[in-house]
Amino acid sequence: MPDYRDFPAQGERLLLWVTSERGRAEPELQAAQQLAERGIAVWSLDPVSAYFLPQLPSSLDAVPAQDLADWLRAAQAGGKRVVVYAVSRAAVPVLRAVALLQPVERQQLCVLLMYPNLYTVAEPLAEPDYLDVGSLSGLRVRVLQPRRSAATPWLPGLLDHLTQRDATVSQVILENLREGYWMRETPTEFEIAESRRMGDMLLRELDTWKCK
């Protein structure tokens, strides 16, 4: 698949990192390298750039789900334990791709979503409606939600939506952070520090989740 970065490692785990419409920020590349140094291989995909799409959240809706499903199968064929990490609207093509897999393939996957945007419009509304991404039966999903987000009050509805698609869902609140904290124009000192610790945060979530 075009336009991905490979961070090889000798360990038993592989993280498929799917970026938001804004592409890769330097802290994300550093985090991927940190994970590789700790034995977790990373394949980093920038789907908007790969398919020559505008840098808009809605562009991710046009990413071919079948292509991503083929990518997921290729990752699983390598024999490593595969976790998918998708940021914001990238959750849409990722979950649509997962829905195309066979149930036994979904059971072998874990999906980590950073403030997933599954709304029918690009920005959450007072009473948001959610996209139907298909059946997620057998899939384990963990949602990472920055506390300082306008979407945080709607997190229960989002989790219910995923549960209704038969996913097994859990959540983690990231305190004192805003969405996209690692690429904001005016980050707080805490957000700057957490950007540098992104690799540690992801490793912690992967280890505590123990998704196998």
Side-chain angles (χ1 to χ4, degrees), residues 76-177:
Q76 289 183 318
K80 292 180 182 284
R81 301 202 311 270
V82 178
V83 176
V84 187
Y85 173 63
V87 181
S88 190
R89 194 69 173 185
V92 171
V94 164
L95 293 180
R96 285 174 171 167
V98 169
L100 294 176
L101 301 179
Q102 296 298 318
V104 65
E105 294 171 319
R106 282 199 295 271
Q107 292 170 5
Q108 297 169 7
L109 269 183
C110 297
V111 175
L112 195 60
L113 301 176
M114 175 65 82
Y115 59 91
N117 178 349
L118 297 177
Y119 307 107
T120 53
V121 293
E123 299 297 333
L125 303 174
E127 295 182 1
D129 292 324
Y130 300 95
L131 293 169
D132 184 0
V133 295
S135 173
L136 303 177
S137 176
L139 183 69
R140 287 159 289 180
V141 178
R142 174 161 288 189
V143 175
L144 305 179
Q145 179 62 46
R147 174 76 74 182
R148 296 178 61 194
S149 163
T152 298
W154 302 292
L155 181 59
L158 174 72
L159 299 177
D160 286 345
H161 177 71
L162 293 170
T163 301
Q164 289 167 10
R165 267 107 202 113
D166 296 324
T168 300
V169 183
S170 59
Q171 65 172 11
V172 174
I173 297 293
L174 303 178
E175 298 291 349
N176 300 312
L177 293 174

Side-chain angles (χ1 to χ4, degrees), residues 17 22 25 27-28 31 85 87 114-115 144-148 174-202 204:
W17 190 317
R22 298 180 64 178
E28 292 175 293
Y85 173 63
V87 181
M114 175 65 82
Y115 59 91
L144 305 179
Q145 179 62 46
R147 174 76 74 182
R148 296 178 61 194
L174 303 178
E175 298 291 349
N176 300 312
L177 293 174
R178 293 172 291 174
E179 294 184 357
Y181 63 89
W182 60 89
M183 53 183 172
R184 300 189 74 93
E185 292 183 1
T186 55
T188 65
E189 290 186 9
F190 183 74
E191 287 171 335
I192 293 172
E194 286 302 293
S195 296
R196 295 175 181 147
R197 291 193 287 262
M198 186 183 296
D200 293 334
M201 182 273 291
L202 290 171
R204 180 179 68 246

